Amino acid sequence: MTDPKAIQPSELDQLPDRDPEETAEWQASLDAVTKAAGPHRAAYLMRRTLERAEGAGLALPKLLETDYVNTIPTSAEPTVDGDEAMEQRITAWNRWNAAAMVTRGSKYGVGGHIATFASAAWLYETGFNHFFKGKEGDGSGDQLYVQGHASPGIYARAFLDGRLNEEQLDNFRREAGGNGLPSYPHPRRLPWLWEFPTVSMGLGPISAIYQARFNRYLTSRGIKDLTNSHVWAFLGDGEMDEPESTTALTLASREGLDNLTFVINCNLQRLDGPVRANFKIVQELEAQFRGAGWNVVKSLWGTAWDELFQLDTTGALVRRLREVPDAQVQTYQTRDAAYIREDFFGKDPQLAEMAKLLSDDKILECFHYSRGGHESRKVYAAYKAALAHKGAPTVILAQTVKGHTLGTGFASKNANHQMKKLSVDEFKDMRDLLGLPIKDSDFVDGVVPYGHPGADSPEVRYLQERRAALGGPAPARRVHPVAPLPAPAEKAFASFDKGSGTQSVATTMAFVRLVKDLVRDKETGKRWVPIVPDEARTFGMESLFPSLGIYSPKGQTYEPVDRDQLMYYKEAKNGQILNEGITEAGSMADFIAASTAYATHGEAMIPFYIFYSMFGWQRTADQMWQLGDQLGRGFLVGATAGRTTLTGEGLQHADGHSPAIAATNPAALTYDPAFAYEVAAIVKDGLRRMYGEAAPGEDPNVFYYLTVYNEPMPQPAKPSAPGVDEGIVKGLYRFNTAESAGLTPAANAPRIQLLGSGTAIHWALKAQKLLSEEWGVAADVWSATSWTELRRDAMDADAALLRGEERVPYVRRALQGAEGPVLAVSDYMRQVPDQIAQWVEQDYSSLGADGFGLSDTRDAARRHFGVDAESIVVAALAQLARRGEVKATSVKEARERYGL
């Protein structure tokens, strides 16, 4: 057996070495350099060689890390196209007003964050002055994902250019009066300014990636040319720990999204302390992004460091910068020159010699102030490089100091995220540092003043001229006047009214059939955006593959294995379906981009995202809240819904609570339709409300959540009784009575009202028959299409009553005169139907599938949870027995008869 130690590295290479002698010469050269000039010089040469190879396009593994220096050297920086001194003054005003706004608000106890914008000011200002395209030029402009905690700086700039006034700044985080500013980027609260909610950390990065991807989708499908739109996402280095922040990095590189730039503010601090105390977050992020295929630009050091790098002829400085952990870099920011000389330079004899050539002021300038993210020319160079790079997205890692310019009490302190104000003396020091013409007398009664150079000042004129050249104000949200989409042909919906006869059809399939008809509509068909997370076949959607195509920027570069089949897997550059693979978070990000295209791009799109209902709200409810904040419109479809419907799948697949979670979202209209015609009616009404002519008082900025089931059942025809269509939309209507169901109860038979939603109505209908035939009880069956909408209507009625307006809740009006008690049942936990209990005048009780799901047949699961037809019968008899309308012994008899 060969000794492993005797194997040479070349022998471990699976590829044959066609010239071992040449290989040996290269290896000998490396050995010679290592021996003569040291290992650091050898490593330097190897790195430069690999970089050269990478630049030449040689097929080599990428370098995952580069030295801890700027990617773009000072000598290669482009000339800034503008007046740097003027931009310095503008930024100074914005820094001041951002800090003043938060400090003035602190007296109300409303909080706010100062340190984030202080560190990131130049990252934003450089973009606003030179790069970010507005919405008043051609196209849609750029899309800006602003870091949430930096919002005071964005408000300060809007104040400087006249879009906000002092009263609004003083109402930062105080919105109840109607003239305030939301804490963070919230489009629903400030819809003319903010486009994208970002402060639920981690959602900004994934949303930006899918927004850039959706821009390409719209272009490829010929809906709107967005080749000139660029997506900029401003993120924190600590935020990158969120799984959503990095989950879609490979999508961006795989699809070559060079219309996307991440700008990560690497101030080395998270909310409570260092991001990577014992490590280096910049290097970690560089490796992560490079490994994912991104172009990485590092902007770490300011021009003050140029002299130090010129003195570093041995590489000792670069080595030391690479080995010092982030927490120690943070410490240098707060210590004097003597400490830095000893701890940083004193660790290496070569660096100690270098330090002798540096004054204390020079050392403090470098270690306290000079960072790549604090100099406009460094940021400008990085942004230019990002836009010039083609074929891959770019991430800019900009190093800054958290709390920069706010004084020694803030800069790099672990607690600065929680520090909400500066003292008057600290503001005066800041004024002097920034060179602002604010007098001591302007501080009236210790209140820091806002600063403004004047509406006609050179600063404001310059700012507005720059923005005009770039297409208008930014950030900005615009809802361009768009004609309502025409309603699809009525026959697409009416075809469900006659029912399916004896054919069994699940409501999931009914929804898919409806969409197949709607996407064929000549006027609106192209507007539909089907989104599915790798479960299309589960939901019966494979028939859409060949007709609509699956979107891929590459098209289809292979022959699909099922090409000879009718429903083959078809990818296309102009494909309509977004099949995202196994990622609910990615699919939701897709949905958000599509659902807000009416505002972002002036193009109304109709997304529907169909998913395992258990893996929707439970997994991505935060994004659904983001969707509501962003005023998105569309249809979320929770398929394979219910706790007992998905046979055999078990606990983590059995959804018994998604309507309860959805009910917490004010923008979500939650429906649990039982029949195909109900699905059609709800979708029809949703298209009218969100994309057509909304009724007076209706908010079109909502989205619909429909639960649909995989349990095939014969679909009945829509009842011809008046009020059915209204009841479907409002949430409740009487499906039948005991008499209309063909039953013949006695004239004096006790009566009960059975309310069922979704698949549970079939159990109620069976119970209706058992109650009549075996117990002499007449039962009427109602379809409760939306417990949540019934509750919201009732709450609105309560609120109206407090205003002195008399209004009866719809649920009370619908049930008015209905005899007997009410028993409600669904395939969800009891709190779902119990939402309406307090507004039902009759005696009310409910059944539901509370607890964890389990693996078994549908019948066994329903018996386990006590929601099957027999359990409904027993519960109904118990209600009637309490009222004295049936014998108490009948309850025990029924339990025994049905084996309960």
Side-chain angles (χ1 to χ4, degrees):
M1 182 174 181
T2 304
D3 181 0
K5 295 180 180 178
I7 299 176
Q8 298 300 312
S10 60
E11 295 178 69
L12 297 174
D13 195 336
Q14 185 171 332
L15 298 176
D17 188 345
R18 68 180 186 182
D19 193 343
E21 186 176 344
E22 181 184 37
T23 303
E25 290 176 359
W26 277 77
Q27 293 170 341
S29 297
L30 180 62
D31 292 342
V33 171
T34 304
K35 184 176 180 180
H40 300 297
R41 177 61 179 170
Y44 176 85
L45 291 175
M46 286 299 299
R47 189 176 294 278
R48 296 291 88 82
T49 301
L50 287 170
E51 288 174 350
R52 182 63 171 259
E54 185 178 308
L58 298 184
L60 288 173
K62 290 182 178 294
L63 285 170
L64 293 186
E65 288 185 31
T66 59
D67 288 328
Y68 200 65
V69 296
N70 295 347
T71 302
I72 304 169
T74 302
S75 60
E77 292 171 3
T79 302
V80 177
D81 179 24
D83 186 334
E84 292 186 66
M86 181 68 74
E87 292 173 17
Q88 187 82 37
R89 294 201 297 275
I90 290 170
T91 303
W93 285 115
N94 291 338
R95 286 182 180 279
W96 176 273
N97 288 323
M101 179 193 327
V102 176
T103 298
R104 287 167 68 122
S106 66
K107 68 180 179 181
Y108 300 105
V110 294
H113 302 284
I114 302 177
T116 296
F117 179 73
S119 69
W122 277 115
L123 303 180
Y124 292 104
E125 294 296 321
T126 304
F128 287 132
N129 289 329
H130 301 282
F131 295 97
F132 303 157
K133 294 186 288 292
K135 294 183 174 295
E136 295 174 3
D138 295 334
S140 298
D142 288 352
Q143 288 79 58
L144 307 181
Y145 288 78
V146 174
Q147 193 177 2
H149 293 135
S151 62
I154 309 304
Y155 290 141
R157 192 171 220 274
F159 170 66
L160 200 66
D161 73 7
R163 292 199 291 164
L164 292 175
N165 56 41
E166 285 195 20
E167 181 186 0
Q168 289 170 300
L169 296 193
D170 258 356
N171 284 327
F172 173 58
R173 292 194 169 206
R174 294 193 298 140
E175 300 177 76
N179 196 31
L181 301 177
S183 53
Y184 302 125
H186 292 307
R188 186 169 285 274
R189 292 302 184 202
L190 200 62
W192 61 267
L193 180 71
W194 297 120
E195 275 196 289
F196 308 109
T198 53
V199 85
S200 187
M201 290 190 182
L203 299 191
I206 190 173
S207 297
I209 289 173
Y210 279 88
Q211 181 67 57
R213 197 283 198 89
F214 191 73
N215 290 358
R216 291 281 173 86
Y217 170 88
L218 290 179
T219 302
S220 296
R221 291 195 55 216
I223 290 175
K224 187 169 187 177
D225 184 357
L226 297 171
T227 53
N228 291 323
S229 284
H230 200 84
V231 178
W232 301 82
F234 290 85
L235 317 168
D237 47 1
E239 180 179 7
M240 300 310 295
D241 285 346
E242 290 283 4
E244 295 88 352
S245 294
T246 55
T247 189
L249 296 186
T250 52
L251 166 71
S253 59
R254 183 171 67 246
E255 299 201 0
L257 298 182
D258 50 23
N259 60 338
L260 170 68
T261 298
F262 276 15
V263 182
I264 302 182
N265 178 18
C266 298
N267 56 35
L268 314 184
Q269 290 183 248
R270 55 163 67 105
L271 276 58
D272 289 329
V275 178
R276 294 290 184 272
N278 296 297
F279 306 94
K280 301 194 80 64
I281 186 59
V282 168
Q283 299 299 89
E284 179 181 321
L285 290 174
E286 179 182 29
Q288 193 169 19
F289 277 87
R290 281 182 176 272
W294 286 53
N295 175 47
V296 178
V297 178
K298 294 195 289 193
S299 183
L300 308 180
W301 308 111
T303 53
W305 282 84
D306 288 350
E307 179 184 341
L308 277 67
F309 289 126
Q310 289 298 317
L311 294 172
D312 185 29
T313 58
T314 65
L317 177 61
V318 173
R319 291 196 302 274
R320 181 69 179 132
L321 288 174
R322 188 179 177 86
E323 71 187 22
V324 175
D326 283 352
Q328 191 63 21
V329 173
Q330 183 182 346
T331 296
Y332 293 148
Q333 176 68 36
T334 64
R335 303 301 289 269
D336 60 20
Y339 178 88
I340 298 171
R341 282 183 187 277
E342 178 182 351
D343 191 84
F344 181 82
F345 292 97
K347 301 292 186 182
D348 186 301
Q350 294 169 318
L351 288 181
E353 289 300 312
M354 178 191 295
K356 294 177 181 178
L357 303 176
L358 304 174
S359 67
D360 285 356
D361 287 345
K362 181 66 175 180
I363 289 175
L364 292 179
E365 180 185 13
C366 289
F367 283 84
H368 284 194
Y369 306 108
S370 187
R371 299 290 188 273
H374 292 325
E375 295 186 13
S376 62
R377 62 180 61 193
K378 301 290 185 186
V379 177
Y380 183 91
Y383 287 5
K384 288 279 281 190
L387 293 180
H389 188 82
K390 300 303 177 185
T394 293
V395 59
I396 295 169
L397 304 176
Q399 187 159 278
T400 66
V401 174
K402 194 167 186 178
H404 183 61
T405 73
L406 297 180
T408 57
F410 265 83
S412 279
K413 295 297 177 65
N414 281 336
N416 60 21
H417 189 80
Q418 311 303 327
M419 298 161 68
K420 311 300 182 185
K421 59 183 178 181
L422 277 70
S423 68
V424 169
D425 288 340
E426 287 172 326
F427 265 110
K428 290 178 179 179
D429 290 342
M430 181 181 176
R431 169 201 62 189
D432 296 341
L433 176 65
L434 298 176
L436 292 173
I438 296 173
K439 302 185 292 293
D440 286 356
S441 59
D442 292 334
F443 291 83
V444 179
D445 296 328
V447 177
V448 57
Y450 293 119
H452 201 292
D456 196 38
S457 64
E459 292 89 342
V460 173
R461 288 201 306 272
Y462 180 89
L463 182 155
Q464 293 175 341
E465 288 167 3
R466 299 299 300 183
R467 289 311 315 157
L470 287 165
R477 182 178 182 274
R478 297 284 186 271
V479 180
H480 302 282
V482 177
L485 295 182
E490 179 63 28
K491 66 179 181 180
F493 306 103
S495 63
F496 292 90
D497 291 351
K498 60 184 179 182
S500 65
T502 58
Q503 181 187 9
S504 292
V505 177
T507 50
T508 295
M509 184 53 65
F511 176 82
V512 172
R513 288 182 182 178
L514 174 62
V515 170
K516 285 177 64 177
D517 289 338
L518 295 176
V519 296
R520 295 192 187 105
D521 186 84
K522 292 182 179 180
E523 295 292 332
T524 60
K526 69 177 183 179
R527 300 282 171 182
W528 285 86
V529 183
I531 302 167
V532 60
D534 200 37
E535 289 282 2
R537 297 181 193 277
T538 302
F539 308 137
M541 292 175 59
E542 65 267 31
S543 60
L544 299 177
F545 289 170
S547 58
L548 300 183
I550 299 166
Y551 170 73
S552 169
K554 295 281 189 181
Q556 193 153 38
T557 62
Y558 59 92
E559 183 177 355
V561 68
D562 53 359
R563 182 63 181 85
D564 58 342
Q565 297 179 15
L566 181 64
M567 293 182 286
Y568 70 97
Y569 195 84
K570 177 186 175 183
E571 296 189 83
K573 291 182 179 179
N574 63 345
Q576 193 164 349
I577 301 170
L578 292 172
N579 192 335
E580 290 304 347
I582 304 174
T583 168
E584 285 82 8
S587 299
M588 268 306 301
D590 257 339
F591 187 89
I592 291 170
S595 70
T596 54
Y598 73 92
T600 309
H601 299 305
E603 296 286 347
M605 305 301 290
I606 311 171
F608 78 87
Y609 164 33
I610 188 167
F611 49 88
Y612 263 72
S613 67
M614 184 66 163
F615 304 140
W617 285 88
Q618 176 164 301
R619 181 168 290 189
T620 57
D622 196 11
Q623 287 178 289
M624 290 155 177
W625 198 261
Q626 176 192 9
L627 168 65
D629 191 347
Q630 204 167 316
L631 293 85
R633 306 170 183 174
F635 297 96
L636 296 176
V637 183
T640 61
R643 182 143 282 165
T644 70
T645 305
L646 192 56
T647 55
E649 290 286 350
L651 187 149
Q652 284 194 276
H653 285 64
D655 169 28
H657 52 279
S658 69
I661 304 175
T664 65
N665 191 311
L669 276 62
T670 302
Y671 286 90
D672 187 26
F675 305 122
Y677 66 80
E678 293 177 353
V679 173
I682 293 164
V683 171
K684 178 182 177 181
D685 187 69
L687 290 173
R688 174 199 62 78
R689 177 169 177 171
M690 295 185 291
Y691 300 98
E693 297 285 357
E698 278 187 329
D699 183 4
N701 298 316
V702 295
F703 59 93
Y704 283 62
Y705 175 53
L706 280 72
T707 50
V708 293
Y709 299 81
N710 73 329
E711 186 172 14
M713 301 291 287
Q715 295 295 324
K718 184 167 73 173
S720 58
V724 170
D725 287 325
E726 179 190 23
I728 292 173
V729 174
K730 287 188 174 293
L732 183 68
Y733 68 96
R734 182 155 48 194
F735 176 72
N736 69 15
T737 63
E739 291 77 9
S740 66
L743 305 173
T744 55
N748 60 346
R751 188 172 290 266
I752 190 169
Q753 309 299 316
L754 302 180
L755 277 57
S757 69
T759 198
I761 203 167
H762 298 287
W763 322 331
L765 290 168
K766 182 179 178 182
Q768 178 189 46
K769 187 176 182 182
L770 290 174
L771 283 166
S772 177
E773 294 177 352
E774 299 185 13
W775 304 99
V777 172
D780 301 337
V781 176
W782 300 68
S783 180
T785 54
S786 180
W787 309 102
T788 302
E789 288 308 296
L790 292 173
R791 175 179 175 80
R792 287 175 176 169
D793 171 80
M795 291 172 66
D796 287 344
D798 287 352
L801 187 63
L802 293 176
R803 296 192 301 268
E805 305 170 20
E806 194 67 37
R807 219 187 87 195
V808 179
Y810 175 81
V811 64
R812 187 169 295 169
R813 284 189 284 118
L815 291 170
Q816 188 172 15
E819 296 178 40
V822 169
L823 175 60
V825 62
S826 78
D827 205 12
Y828 299 96
M829 55 201 309
R830 288 177 62 183
Q831 72 184 61
V832 174
D834 284 352
Q835 291 181 87
I836 66 170
Q838 72 185 80
W839 293 281
V840 175
E841 292 183 316
Q842 293 88 343
D843 291 340
Y844 185 92
S845 66
S846 65
L847 296 175
D850 285 78
F852 287 113
L854 76 167
S855 303
D856 215 312
T857 65
R858 291 182 181 123
D859 289 343
R862 287 162 188 169
R863 177 57 57 91
H864 169 81
F865 287 110
V867 293
D868 60 355
E870 291 79 6
S871 298
I872 293 173
V873 169
V874 172
L877 293 174
Q879 272 189 284
L880 293 169
R882 285 193 295 270
R883 294 162 58 93
E885 297 180 22
V886 300
K887 295 178 180 178
T889 56
S890 64
V891 180
K892 181 175 182 295
E893 182 183 347
R895 282 202 306 268
E896 293 173 349
R897 180 182 301 182
Y898 301 133
L900 297 179

